[in-house]
Amino acid sequence: MRAFSFPLQSILTYREYVRSQAETELAAALLAERGIHDKLDEIAQHYISVKQETAGSADFATISAAQQFYALLDSQKEDLLQQLAEAQLVTEQKRAALREAIKHTQSLEKLRERQQAEWEQLELAQESDALDEINTQRRFHR
């Protein structure tokens, strides 16, 4: 019995590589988003800690410094929110690219499976015909 050979195997291998790359790129985009979320969490923690430290303070310099720090945090937060929006767009693009790569890969995998099943049936039929021929020749020679 000869081995099954899928004529489009090189294309399937390439599409599997493209899918793997798309998975890697999506993971990187998600990681970038996570990093921005982490920075936003840090800003929120700074805001809370300064608010707790200055609570009840009557010192004008302390209150003024806290207000300036809040303004800085707000500015950083706005920058990060802009970066997050951009990162989310990139993530959605990478997610769409991955879906497309999966679709292309799956269609070729299904084609390979169908061709392999047809090949196996043909091989079994040929093997059965060969066994029938052998049995017929044995009966004829007896």
Side-chain angles (χ1 to χ4, degrees):
M1 189 164 159
R2 60 187 168 84
F4 172 72
S5 174
F6 182 54
L8 302 175
Q9 184 60 47
S10 60
I11 295 171
L12 177 58
T13 301
Y14 171 73
R15 290 214 174 139
E16 288 170 342
Y17 170 77
V18 169
R19 182 185 63 201
S20 174
Q21 288 299 110
E23 289 170 349
T24 302
E25 290 174 8
L26 176 59
L30 289 169
L31 186 61
E33 263 189 64
R34 181 72 252 152
I36 294 169
H37 280 290
D38 290 345
K39 289 176 184 176
L40 285 168
D41 290 344
E42 285 179 34
I43 288 174
Q45 289 300 321
H46 286 307
Y47 197 96
I48 291 169
S49 68
V50 169
K51 190 165 190 107
Q52 290 172 347
E53 289 173 14
T54 59
S57 176
D59 183 30
F60 178 76
T62 303
I63 294 172
S64 177
Q67 291 301 320
Q68 289 176 352
F69 189 66
Y70 291 149
L72 174 67
L73 290 178
D74 285 340
S75 173
Q76 290 176 347
K77 180 180 76 172
E78 289 302 316
D79 289 343
L80 287 172
L81 289 174
Q82 178 64 33
Q83 290 176 21
L84 181 60
E86 292 169 5
Q88 287 172 335
L89 287 175
V90 169
T91 298
E92 283 309 309
Q93 291 170 347
K94 299 301 181 186
R95 197 171 271 128
L98 177 58
R99 277 193 298 272
E100 192 68 21
I102 288 171
K103 184 175 83 172
H104 287 302
T105 304
Q106 285 178 338
S107 64
L108 275 178
E109 287 172 343
K110 287 178 183 178
L111 177 62
R112 181 188 64 202
E113 289 169 5
R114 190 170 52 247
Q115 286 184 0
Q116 186 169 6
E118 290 171 1
W119 174 84
E120 287 171 355
Q121 288 179 346
L122 181 62
E123 285 292 308
L124 287 174
Q126 288 175 351
E127 189 176 306
S128 177
D129 289 346
L131 290 174
D132 287 346
E133 180 67 29
I134 291 170
N135 283 335
T136 303
Q137 287 178 3
R138 281 185 183 169
R139 286 187 188 147
F140 181 72
H141 289 287
R142 284 187 188 180

